[in-house]
Amino acid sequence: MCGITGFYNGELKKEKFIESTNLIKHRGPDEEGFYFDDVAFGHRRLVVIDKQNGKQPMKIGNYVLVYNGELYNTKSLKEELIKLGYTFTGTSDTEVLLKSYIEWKEEAFVKLNGIYAFAIYDGEKVILVRDRLGVKPLYYSNINNELFFSSEIKSILKYYDLNTVNDDGLRELLGLGPSHTAGITVYKDVYEVKPGEYLEFIKDVKKKIYWNVEAKPFTDDFASCVKKVKYLLTDSIERQLVSDVGISTFLSGGVDSSIITAIAAKANKNLQSYSIEYEDNDFEANDFQVSKDIDYIKYMVERYDLDHKYLEISLEELAEYLKEAVDLRDFPGMADIDSSLLWFCKKVKKENTVALSGECADEIFAGYPWFYRDTGSDIFPWLRNLKMRENLLKDEWIERLKLEDYVKDKYEETLKEVSNLNEHQKMMYLNIKWFMTTLLDRKDRMSMGASLEVRVPFSDHLLVEYLFNVPQEFKHYKQEKGLLREAMADLLPAEILNRKKNPYPKTHNEKYTKIVANLLTERLNDESSILNILFKKDKLIDLIKSGGTSIDKPWFGQLMTGPQLIAYLYQFDYWFSKYKLKLG
């Protein structure tokens, strides 16, 4: 994986462009590369495949490419191009990608299988392309008819000295956050290339969609469906094991990560796997977290003779990394759900450059409770307690932002895109377009912040396309994700195969709540804090005094309850101060 930047159609400030590119050095600490001509491209490289022949930016004839990602069908594309007369100097997927575009132009995009964000200059225009599910990020601005793009927002902010957050930005953070509306950001004049979209830029932006999920008649019986799922998922995982450096896996003891680890272990007898635990974690089962991961990891370690490392994060470290997690996202995120992952990735990076992780399984196999249980929400089912969030604001901001109206509008706009689908497909669509992208954003920023490439085999578009049309009763065969369990049963110990779904682990220790409560209290004592401008101080004090226990159910997803709201507000204040933001 890498970090990319680019500038086109204006007078380049070269030194500032280089500085802006180096802000994303963490995405590619191994090499840097620049191309300056009619277009400026910058690249920070994390070497995974073909160190010598994969250098970027890459130029062939009039075509220049800068690319972040991995192609998992490099071999088949290369074979097809060789038949057409192309030759290759190495094994790099970068060369295959550029020659694919030279041969097929925009039609090449639908041939790609992988995770990617890239830009191509063809002598006349710049084209920006993002992968189908949004695994890899790509942001841009179009100020004064100039195009500036980057893997992370910080480069754009630096180049143009941008620091304005308008009302819609606040609505995104305080109403929808940590999810967000595709295509926009919380910053004025900064946008996002949507998943499955590409942009053409000459003197203005033209947007085109090259992929979306599609409703199709489903005719397979259950046995055929099981066989198809096994093939598609196994194929995805095996293709993602290709690397010139070692492969590791994240192993939680759940079904998703255990399947990936099992297939990886068969291919690599020296596989390293990793799990995270929290210092003095006083676990209590609830509707979402029903068992401790460590009790199940041992079954996989024993069955596959894994070189497994149990990593334990202290509560002080968990709070300490809240700031860096904001720096990597360029806005507040998932609080300690982010900071723990960042810490974890940094530990894994000490021994590995590539890891595989189980994100996206719940979205496509209908594993979340809201697929089969009423959450009591009439909007996005992972957004609950919205009224509670809104009531923390001062009255003038409640009236000005109208968070409930904004969120409901976004929900209804999304459903209008799929008015012809059945109810299960609508829920699938909501999850793919909103919840999945939130988790993929998190995984990219925190892993690349540690210079670790994390691959997500469940996000393979062929698997997603197929499962989009599989009926819910197949997916929920006997229990949640029953279809997945049935398809991969031969790989898993019975204890894991029958384990009830558990989300990413979090701390339940009151010590962590006290740490973040003290941090937020300190910021509230600063009268210039954005918290005192937007929020009712007495409400925040009450939240802190209660230790977050006044929030009796998650306000986002399955994990973010009272302590995470306190941490999120602390991140919000840190972000506003660190980035020297203004409202406008």
Side-chain angles (χ1 to χ4, degrees), residues 378-407:
D378 59 355
I379 48 172
F380 300 103
W382 50 85
L383 275 181
R384 298 189 289 171
N385 273 346
L386 183 56
K387 177 61 74 174
M388 174 276 298
R389 282 209 253 180
E390 188 173 52
N391 286 340
L392 293 175
L393 291 168
K394 291 182 176 179
D395 291 343
E396 61 265 33
W397 285 101
I398 292 176
E399 180 59 29
R400 177 169 167 175
L401 297 180
K402 293 184 168 56
L403 295 184
E404 287 193 282
D405 291 345
Y406 184 80
V407 171

PDB file of all heavy atoms in Angstrom, residues 378-407:
ATOM      1  N   ASP A 378     -35.846   4.158  13.490  1.00  0.00           N
ATOM      2  CA  ASP A 378     -36.543   4.330  12.215  1.00  0.00           C
ATOM      3  C   ASP A 378     -35.635   4.988  11.180  1.00  0.00           C
ATOM      4  O   ASP A 378     -36.091   5.458  10.146  1.00  0.00           O
ATOM      5  CB  ASP A 378     -37.839   5.132  12.391  1.00  0.00           C
ATOM      6  CG  ASP A 378     -37.595   6.514  12.973  1.00  0.00           C
ATOM      7  OD1 ASP A 378     -36.432   6.820  13.323  1.00  0.00           O
ATOM      8  OD2 ASP A 378     -38.554   7.292  13.080  1.00  0.00           O
ATOM      9  N   ILE A 379     -34.330   5.025  11.492  1.00  0.00           N
ATOM     10  CA  ILE A 379     -33.338   5.524  10.530  1.00  0.00           C
ATOM     11  C   ILE A 379     -32.264   4.444  10.395  1.00  0.00           C
ATOM     12  O   ILE A 379     -32.590   3.271  10.422  1.00  0.00           O
ATOM     13  CB  ILE A 379     -32.751   6.888  10.970  1.00  0.00           C
ATOM     14  CG1 ILE A 379     -32.325   6.849  12.454  1.00  0.00           C
ATOM     15  CG2 ILE A 379     -33.757   8.003  10.739  1.00  0.00           C
ATOM     16  CD1 ILE A 379     -31.583   8.068  12.921  1.00  0.00           C
ATOM     17  N   PHE A 380     -31.031   4.828  10.214  1.00  0.00           N
ATOM     18  CA  PHE A 380     -29.962   3.834  10.143  1.00  0.00           C
ATOM     19  C   PHE A 380     -29.951   3.024  11.451  1.00  0.00           C
ATOM     20  O   PHE A 380     -29.870   3.604  12.539  1.00  0.00           O
ATOM     21  CB  PHE A 380     -28.611   4.525   9.965  1.00  0.00           C
ATOM     22  CG  PHE A 380     -28.516   5.361   8.717  1.00  0.00           C
ATOM     23  CD1 PHE A 380     -28.612   6.749   8.778  1.00  0.00           C
ATOM     24  CD2 PHE A 380     -28.361   4.769   7.475  1.00  0.00           C
ATOM     25  CE1 PHE A 380     -28.522   7.532   7.639  1.00  0.00           C
ATOM     26  CE2 PHE A 380     -28.272   5.538   6.322  1.00  0.00           C
ATOM     27  CZ  PHE A 380     -28.362   6.916   6.392  1.00  0.00           C
ATOM     28  N   PRO A 381     -30.025   1.712  11.368  1.00  0.00           N
ATOM     29  CA  PRO A 381     -30.202   0.916  12.590  1.00  0.00           C
ATOM     30  C   PRO A 381     -29.024   0.947  13.549  1.00  0.00           C
ATOM     31  O   PRO A 381     -29.164   0.593  14.714  1.00  0.00           O
ATOM     32  CB  PRO A 381     -30.441  -0.502  12.039  1.00  0.00           C
ATOM     33  CG  PRO A 381     -29.819  -0.500  10.685  1.00  0.00           C
ATOM     34  CD  PRO A 381     -30.010   0.887  10.152  1.00  0.00           C
ATOM     35  N   TRP A 382     -27.841   1.341  13.060  1.00  0.00           N
ATOM     36  CA  TRP A 382     -26.671   1.444  13.945  1.00  0.00           C
ATOM     37  C   TRP A 382     -26.604   2.815  14.624  1.00  0.00           C
ATOM     38  O   TRP A 382     -25.743   3.043  15.454  1.00  0.00           O
ATOM     39  CB  TRP A 382     -25.389   1.208  13.152  1.00  0.00           C
ATOM     40  CG  TRP A 382     -25.310   2.038  11.899  1.00  0.00           C
ATOM     41  CD1 TRP A 382     -24.875   3.318  11.780  1.00  0.00           C
ATOM     42  CD2 TRP A 382     -25.720   1.633  10.591  1.00  0.00           C
ATOM     43  NE1 TRP A 382     -24.981   3.742  10.481  1.00  0.00           N
ATOM     44  CE2 TRP A 382     -25.494   2.726   9.722  1.00  0.00           C
ATOM     45  CE3 TRP A 382     -26.247   0.447  10.059  1.00  0.00           C
ATOM     46  CZ2 TRP A 382     -25.783   2.670   8.364  1.00  0.00           C
ATOM     47  CZ3 TRP A 382     -26.528   0.387   8.708  1.00  0.00           C
ATOM     48  CH2 TRP A 382     -26.289   1.494   7.867  1.00  0.00           C
ATOM     49  N   LEU A 383     -27.497   3.719  14.250  1.00  0.00           N
ATOM     50  CA  LEU A 383     -27.568   5.045  14.872  1.00  0.00           C
ATOM     51  C   LEU A 383     -28.746   5.081  15.831  1.00  0.00           C
ATOM     52  O   LEU A 383     -29.896   5.198  15.425  1.00  0.00           O
ATOM     53  CB  LEU A 383     -27.764   6.128  13.808  1.00  0.00           C
ATOM     54  CG  LEU A 383     -26.537   6.688  13.089  1.00  0.00           C
ATOM     55  CD1 LEU A 383     -26.968   7.751  12.102  1.00  0.00           C
ATOM     56  CD2 LEU A 383     -25.528   7.256  14.066  1.00  0.00           C
ATOM     57  N   ARG A 384     -28.439   4.952  17.095  1.00  0.00           N
ATOM     58  CA  ARG A 384     -29.496   5.042  18.099  1.00  0.00           C
ATOM     59  C   ARG A 384     -29.142   6.178  19.062  1.00  0.00           C
ATOM     60  O   ARG A 384     -28.049   6.695  19.055  1.00  0.00           O
ATOM     61  CB  ARG A 384     -29.630   3.715  18.840  1.00  0.00           C
ATOM     62  CG  ARG A 384     -30.033   2.572  17.887  1.00  0.00           C
ATOM     63  CD  ARG A 384     -30.384   1.318  18.639  1.00  0.00           C
ATOM     64  NE  ARG A 384     -29.207   0.693  19.227  1.00  0.00           N
ATOM     65  CZ  ARG A 384     -29.275  -0.331  20.084  1.00  0.00           C
ATOM     66  NH1 ARG A 384     -30.441  -0.800  20.461  1.00  0.00           N
ATOM     67  NH2 ARG A 384     -28.179  -0.857  20.563  1.00  0.00           N
ATOM     68  N   ASN A 385     -30.079   6.559  19.865  1.00  0.00           N
ATOM     69  CA  ASN A 385     -29.830   7.639  20.824  1.00  0.00           C
ATOM     70  C   ASN A 385     -29.472   8.957  20.154  1.00  0.00           C
ATOM     71  O   ASN A 385     -28.737   9.780  20.706  1.00  0.00           O
ATOM     72  CB  ASN A 385     -28.702   7.256  21.796  1.00  0.00           C
ATOM     73  CG  ASN A 385     -29.208   6.488  23.003  1.00  0.00           C
ATOM     74  OD1 ASN A 385     -30.408   6.453  23.255  1.00  0.00           O
ATOM     75  ND2 ASN A 385     -28.306   5.884  23.739  1.00  0.00           N
ATOM     76  N   LEU A 386     -29.980   9.171  18.943  1.00  0.00           N
ATOM     77  CA  LEU A 386     -29.675  10.421  18.249  1.00  0.00           C
ATOM     78  C   LEU A 386     -30.229  11.614  19.011  1.00  0.00           C
ATOM     79  O   LEU A 386     -29.589  12.667  19.092  1.00  0.00           O
ATOM     80  CB  LEU A 386     -30.228  10.388  16.825  1.00  0.00           C
ATOM     81  CG  LEU A 386     -29.925  11.615  15.954  1.00  0.00           C
ATOM     82  CD1 LEU A 386     -28.427  11.871  15.865  1.00  0.00           C
ATOM     83  CD2 LEU A 386     -30.525  11.433  14.558  1.00  0.00           C
ATOM     84  N   LYS A 387     -31.397  11.460  19.585  1.00  0.00           N
ATOM     85  CA  LYS A 387     -31.990  12.545  20.370  1.00  0.00           C
ATOM     86  C   LYS A 387     -31.103  12.885  21.555  1.00  0.00           C
ATOM     87  O   LYS A 387     -30.939  14.061  21.909  1.00  0.00           O
ATOM     88  CB  LYS A 387     -33.396  12.145  20.837  1.00  0.00           C
ATOM     89  CG  LYS A 387     -34.076  13.166  21.725  1.00  0.00           C
ATOM     90  CD  LYS A 387     -34.275  14.507  21.031  1.00  0.00           C
ATOM     91  CE  LYS A 387     -35.381  14.441  20.007  1.00  0.00           C
ATOM     92  NZ  LYS A 387     -35.659  15.798  19.428  1.00  0.00           N
ATOM     93  N   MET A 388     -30.505  11.863  22.168  1.00  0.00           N
ATOM     94  CA  MET A 388     -29.587  12.109  23.282  1.00  0.00           C
ATOM     95  C   MET A 388     -28.407  12.959  22.818  1.00  0.00           C
ATOM     96  O   MET A 388     -28.014  13.921  23.483  1.00  0.00           O
ATOM     97  CB  MET A 388     -29.098  10.765  23.837  1.00  0.00           C
ATOM     98  CG  MET A 388     -28.012  10.872  24.920  1.00  0.00           C
ATOM     99  SD  MET A 388     -26.309  11.042  24.262  1.00  0.00           S
ATOM    100  CE  MET A 388     -26.139   9.505  23.354  1.00  0.00           C
ATOM    101  N   ARG A 389     -27.840  12.623  21.674  1.00  0.00           N
ATOM    102  CA  ARG A 389     -26.712  13.396  21.149  1.00  0.00           C
ATOM    103  C   ARG A 389     -27.131  14.848  20.885  1.00  0.00           C
ATOM    104  O   ARG A 389     -26.411  15.779  21.214  1.00  0.00           O
ATOM    105  CB  ARG A 389     -26.216  12.762  19.841  1.00  0.00           C
ATOM    106  CG  ARG A 389     -25.367  11.541  20.015  1.00  0.00           C
ATOM    107  CD  ARG A 389     -24.401  11.444  18.836  1.00  0.00           C
ATOM    108  NE  ARG A 389     -24.772  10.390  17.921  1.00  0.00           N
ATOM    109  CZ  ARG A 389     -24.090  10.104  16.821  1.00  0.00           C
ATOM    110  NH1 ARG A 389     -23.017  10.797  16.501  1.00  0.00           N
ATOM    111  NH2 ARG A 389     -24.464   9.124  16.025  1.00  0.00           N
ATOM    112  N   GLU A 390     -28.274  14.998  20.250  1.00  0.00           N
ATOM    113  CA  GLU A 390     -28.738  16.334  19.902  1.00  0.00           C
ATOM    114  C   GLU A 390     -28.972  17.174  21.141  1.00  0.00           C
ATOM    115  O   GLU A 390     -28.668  18.379  21.168  1.00  0.00           O
ATOM    116  CB  GLU A 390     -30.025  16.232  19.072  1.00  0.00           C
ATOM    117  CG  GLU A 390     -30.477  17.566  18.506  1.00  0.00           C
ATOM    118  CD  GLU A 390     -31.652  17.412  17.555  1.00  0.00           C
ATOM    119  OE1 GLU A 390     -32.645  16.778  17.942  1.00  0.00           O
ATOM    120  OE2 GLU A 390     -31.566  17.914  16.429  1.00  0.00           O
ATOM    121  N   ASN A 391     -29.496  16.571  22.199  1.00  0.00           N
ATOM    122  CA  ASN A 391     -29.819  17.316  23.415  1.00  0.00           C
ATOM    123  C   ASN A 391     -28.591  17.787  24.182  1.00  0.00           C
ATOM    124  O   ASN A 391     -28.718  18.607  25.114  1.00  0.00           O
ATOM    125  CB  ASN A 391     -30.710  16.472  24.329  1.00  0.00           C
ATOM    126  CG  ASN A 391     -32.132  16.377  23.817  1.00  0.00           C
ATOM    127  OD1 ASN A 391     -32.568  17.210  23.011  1.00  0.00           O
ATOM    128  ND2 ASN A 391     -32.858  15.359  24.252  1.00  0.00           N
ATOM    129  N   LEU A 392     -27.412  17.300  23.807  1.00  0.00           N
ATOM    130  CA  LEU A 392     -26.192  17.808  24.422  1.00  0.00           C
ATOM    131  C   LEU A 392     -25.836  19.197  23.897  1.00  0.00           C
ATOM    132  O   LEU A 392     -25.117  19.957  24.542  1.00  0.00           O
ATOM    133  CB  LEU A 392     -25.018  16.863  24.138  1.00  0.00           C
ATOM    134  CG  LEU A 392     -25.062  15.462  24.773  1.00  0.00           C
ATOM    135  CD1 LEU A 392     -23.877  14.635  24.279  1.00  0.00           C
ATOM    136  CD2 LEU A 392     -25.054  15.546  26.290  1.00  0.00           C
ATOM    137  N   LEU A 393     -26.373  19.551  22.737  1.00  0.00           N
ATOM    138  CA  LEU A 393     -26.068  20.833  22.114  1.00  0.00           C
ATOM    139  C   LEU A 393     -26.821  21.979  22.789  1.00  0.00           C
ATOM    140  O   LEU A 393     -27.902  21.787  23.375  1.00  0.00           O
ATOM    141  CB  LEU A 393     -26.459  20.795  20.637  1.00  0.00           C
ATOM    142  CG  LEU A 393     -25.625  19.888  19.724  1.00  0.00           C
ATOM    143  CD1 LEU A 393     -26.317  19.728  18.381  1.00  0.00           C
ATOM    144  CD2 LEU A 393     -24.220  20.454  19.547  1.00  0.00           C
ATOM    145  N   LYS A 394     -26.265  23.165  22.660  1.00  0.00           N
ATOM    146  CA  LYS A 394     -26.984  24.353  23.093  1.00  0.00           C
ATOM    147  C   LYS A 394     -28.214  24.538  22.208  1.00  0.00           C
ATOM    148  O   LYS A 394     -28.228  24.122  21.044  1.00  0.00           O
ATOM    149  CB  LYS A 394     -26.078  25.585  23.005  1.00  0.00           C
ATOM    150  CG  LYS A 394     -24.955  25.585  24.030  1.00  0.00           C
ATOM    151  CD  LYS A 394     -24.109  26.852  23.924  1.00  0.00           C
ATOM    152  CE  LYS A 394     -23.049  26.891  25.019  1.00  0.00           C
ATOM    153  NZ  LYS A 394     -22.194  28.101  24.946  1.00  0.00           N
ATOM    154  N   ASP A 395     -29.229  25.182  22.763  1.00  0.00           N
ATOM    155  CA  ASP A 395     -30.510  25.291  22.057  1.00  0.00           C
ATOM    156  C   ASP A 395     -30.365  25.931  20.683  1.00  0.00           C
ATOM    157  O   ASP A 395     -31.005  25.504  19.720  1.00  0.00           O
ATOM    158  CB  ASP A 395     -31.508  26.098  22.892  1.00  0.00           C
ATOM    159  CG  ASP A 395     -31.949  25.348  24.141  1.00  0.00           C
ATOM    160  OD1 ASP A 395     -31.756  24.107  24.192  1.00  0.00           O
ATOM    161  OD2 ASP A 395     -32.464  26.000  25.066  1.00  0.00           O
ATOM    162  N   GLU A 396     -29.507  26.946  20.579  1.00  0.00           N
ATOM    163  CA  GLU A 396     -29.364  27.618  19.285  1.00  0.00           C
ATOM    164  C   GLU A 396     -28.741  26.695  18.238  1.00  0.00           C
ATOM    165  O   GLU A 396     -29.056  26.783  17.042  1.00  0.00           O
ATOM    166  CB  GLU A 396     -28.538  28.904  19.411  1.00  0.00           C
ATOM    167  CG  GLU A 396     -27.119  28.737  19.912  1.00  0.00           C
ATOM    168  CD  GLU A 396     -27.003  28.946  21.424  1.00  0.00           C
ATOM    169  OE1 GLU A 396     -27.968  28.601  22.149  1.00  0.00           O
ATOM    170  OE2 GLU A 396     -25.945  29.440  21.876  1.00  0.00           O
ATOM    171  N   TRP A 397     -27.883  25.787  18.684  1.00  0.00           N
ATOM    172  CA  TRP A 397     -27.275  24.839  17.749  1.00  0.00           C
ATOM    173  C   TRP A 397     -28.223  23.692  17.426  1.00  0.00           C
ATOM    174  O   TRP A 397     -28.179  23.125  16.326  1.00  0.00           O
ATOM    175  CB  TRP A 397     -25.951  24.322  18.290  1.00  0.00           C
ATOM    176  CG  TRP A 397     -24.865  25.352  18.167  1.00  0.00           C
ATOM    177  CD1 TRP A 397     -24.376  26.165  19.142  1.00  0.00           C
ATOM    178  CD2 TRP A 397     -24.149  25.701  16.968  1.00  0.00           C
ATOM    179  NE1 TRP A 397     -23.408  26.997  18.653  1.00  0.00           N
ATOM    180  CE2 TRP A 397     -23.245  26.735  17.308  1.00  0.00           C
ATOM    181  CE3 TRP A 397     -24.186  25.259  15.653  1.00  0.00           C
ATOM    182  CZ2 TRP A 397     -22.381  27.319  16.374  1.00  0.00           C
ATOM    183  CZ3 TRP A 397     -23.326  25.833  14.721  1.00  0.00           C
ATOM    184  CH2 TRP A 397     -22.446  26.845  15.086  1.00  0.00           C
ATOM    185  N   ILE A 398     -29.070  23.326  18.356  1.00  0.00           N
ATOM    186  CA  ILE A 398     -30.115  22.334  18.056  1.00  0.00           C
ATOM    187  C   ILE A 398     -30.993  22.840  16.923  1.00  0.00           C
ATOM    188  O   ILE A 398     -31.278  22.130  15.954  1.00  0.00           O
ATOM    189  CB  ILE A 398     -30.974  22.038  19.307  1.00  0.00           C
ATOM    190  CG1 ILE A 398     -30.143  21.299  20.362  1.00  0.00           C
ATOM    191  CG2 ILE A 398     -32.213  21.215  18.925  1.00  0.00           C
ATOM    192  CD1 ILE A 398     -30.883  21.052  21.660  1.00  0.00           C
ATOM    193  N   GLU A 399     -31.396  24.104  17.045  1.00  0.00           N
ATOM    194  CA  GLU A 399     -32.271  24.699  16.033  1.00  0.00           C
ATOM    195  C   GLU A 399     -31.520  24.918  14.718  1.00  0.00           C
ATOM    196  O   GLU A 399     -32.077  24.707  13.635  1.00  0.00           O
ATOM    197  CB  GLU A 399     -32.808  26.040  16.549  1.00  0.00           C
ATOM    198  CG  GLU A 399     -33.741  26.764  15.579  1.00  0.00           C
ATOM    199  CD  GLU A 399     -34.963  25.958  15.207  1.00  0.00           C
ATOM    200  OE1 GLU A 399     -35.416  25.132  16.028  1.00  0.00           O
ATOM    201  OE2 GLU A 399     -35.460  26.142  14.077  1.00  0.00           O
ATOM    202  N   ARG A 400     -30.284  25.304  14.807  1.00  0.00           N
ATOM    203  CA  ARG A 400     -29.508  25.610  13.594  1.00  0.00           C
ATOM    204  C   ARG A 400     -29.144  24.352  12.803  1.00  0.00           C
ATOM    205  O   ARG A 400     -29.238  24.326  11.567  1.00  0.00           O
ATOM    206  CB  ARG A 400     -28.240  26.358  13.985  1.00  0.00           C
ATOM    207  CG  ARG A 400     -27.292  26.674  12.818  1.00  0.00           C
ATOM    208  CD  ARG A 400     -26.218  27.644  13.289  1.00  0.00           C
ATOM    209  NE  ARG A 400     -25.110  27.747  12.334  1.00  0.00           N
ATOM    210  CZ  ARG A 400     -24.096  28.594  12.453  1.00  0.00           C
ATOM    211  NH1 ARG A 400     -24.050  29.424  13.502  1.00  0.00           N
ATOM    212  NH2 ARG A 400     -23.125  28.632  11.548  1.00  0.00           N
ATOM    213  N   LEU A 401     -28.735  23.286  13.492  1.00  0.00           N
ATOM    214  CA  LEU A 401     -28.252  22.091  12.806  1.00  0.00           C
ATOM    215  C   LEU A 401     -29.357  21.105  12.447  1.00  0.00           C
ATOM    216  O   LEU A 401     -29.247  20.388  11.445  1.00  0.00           O
ATOM    217  CB  LEU A 401     -27.185  21.393  13.658  1.00  0.00           C
ATOM    218  CG  LEU A 401     -25.912  22.199  13.927  1.00  0.00           C
ATOM    219  CD1 LEU A 401     -24.951  21.384  14.791  1.00  0.00           C
ATOM    220  CD2 LEU A 401     -25.222  22.615  12.630  1.00  0.00           C
ATOM    221  N   LYS A 402     -30.399  21.029  13.283  1.00  0.00           N
ATOM    222  CA  LYS A 402     -31.511  20.089  13.015  1.00  0.00           C
ATOM    223  C   LYS A 402     -30.968  18.703  12.636  1.00  0.00           C
ATOM    224  O   LYS A 402     -31.219  18.177  11.549  1.00  0.00           O
ATOM    225  CB  LYS A 402     -32.420  20.634  11.911  1.00  0.00           C
ATOM    226  CG  LYS A 402     -33.194  21.890  12.307  1.00  0.00           C
ATOM    227  CD  LYS A 402     -34.140  22.329  11.198  1.00  0.00           C
ATOM    228  CE  LYS A 402     -35.128  23.389  11.644  1.00  0.00           C
ATOM    229  NZ  LYS A 402     -34.514  24.598  12.218  1.00  0.00           N
ATOM    230  N   LEU A 403     -30.246  18.106  13.574  1.00  0.00           N
ATOM    231  CA  LEU A 403     -29.559  16.850  13.303  1.00  0.00           C
ATOM    232  C   LEU A 403     -30.505  15.735  12.877  1.00  0.00           C
ATOM    233  O   LEU A 403     -30.213  14.969  11.945  1.00  0.00           O
ATOM    234  CB  LEU A 403     -28.770  16.397  14.542  1.00  0.00           C
ATOM    235  CG  LEU A 403     -27.603  17.278  14.980  1.00  0.00           C
ATOM    236  CD1 LEU A 403     -26.879  16.632  16.150  1.00  0.00           C
ATOM    237  CD2 LEU A 403     -26.626  17.512  13.825  1.00  0.00           C
ATOM    238  N   GLU A 404     -31.632  15.627  13.551  1.00  0.00           N
ATOM    239  CA  GLU A 404     -32.561  14.540  13.224  1.00  0.00           C
ATOM    240  C   GLU A 404     -33.065  14.660  11.788  1.00  0.00           C
ATOM    241  O   GLU A 404     -33.163  13.658  11.068  1.00  0.00           O
ATOM    242  CB  GLU A 404     -33.729  14.522  14.207  1.00  0.00           C
ATOM    243  CG  GLU A 404     -33.354  14.007  15.592  1.00  0.00           C
ATOM    244  CD  GLU A 404     -34.575  13.712  16.442  1.00  0.00           C
ATOM    245  OE1 GLU A 404     -35.171  14.677  16.966  1.00  0.00           O
ATOM    246  OE2 GLU A 404     -34.933  12.526  16.571  1.00  0.00           O
ATOM    247  N   ASP A 405     -33.379  15.859  11.377  1.00  0.00           N
ATOM    248  CA  ASP A 405     -33.852  16.065  10.001  1.00  0.00           C
ATOM    249  C   ASP A 405     -32.746  15.710   9.002  1.00  0.00           C
ATOM    250  O   ASP A 405     -33.009  15.083   7.970  1.00  0.00           O
ATOM    251  CB  ASP A 405     -34.282  17.524   9.790  1.00  0.00           C
ATOM    252  CG  ASP A 405     -35.545  17.868  10.551  1.00  0.00           C
ATOM    253  OD1 ASP A 405     -36.242  16.933  11.004  1.00  0.00           O
ATOM    254  OD2 ASP A 405     -35.835  19.074  10.707  1.00  0.00           O
ATOM    255  N   TYR A 406     -31.523  16.114   9.293  1.00  0.00           N
ATOM    256  CA  TYR A 406     -30.408  15.861   8.390  1.00  0.00           C
ATOM    257  C   TYR A 406     -30.167  14.358   8.231  1.00  0.00           C
ATOM    258  O   TYR A 406     -30.023  13.846   7.104  1.00  0.00           O
ATOM    259  CB  TYR A 406     -29.142  16.534   8.920  1.00  0.00           C
ATOM    260  CG  TYR A 406     -27.943  16.431   8.014  1.00  0.00           C
ATOM    261  CD1 TYR A 406     -27.793  17.274   6.918  1.00  0.00           C
ATOM    262  CD2 TYR A 406     -26.942  15.482   8.254  1.00  0.00           C
ATOM    263  CE1 TYR A 406     -26.685  17.183   6.080  1.00  0.00           C
ATOM    264  CE2 TYR A 406     -25.825  15.388   7.427  1.00  0.00           C
ATOM    265  CZ  TYR A 406     -25.706  16.240   6.343  1.00  0.00           C
ATOM    266  OH  TYR A 406     -24.612  16.137   5.517  1.00  0.00           O
ATOM    267  N   VAL A 407     -30.129  13.659   9.348  1.00  0.00           N
ATOM    268  CA  VAL A 407     -29.874  12.220   9.311  1.00  0.00           C
ATOM    269  C   VAL A 407     -31.002  11.498   8.584  1.00  0.00           C
ATOM    270  O   VAL A 407     -30.760  10.598   7.763  1.00  0.00           O
ATOM    271  CB  VAL A 407     -29.693  11.666  10.736  1.00  0.00           C
ATOM    272  CG1 VAL A 407     -29.641  10.145  10.725  1.00  0.00           C
ATOM    273  CG2 VAL A 407     -28.422  12.230  11.370  1.00  0.00           C
TER     274      VAL A 407
END
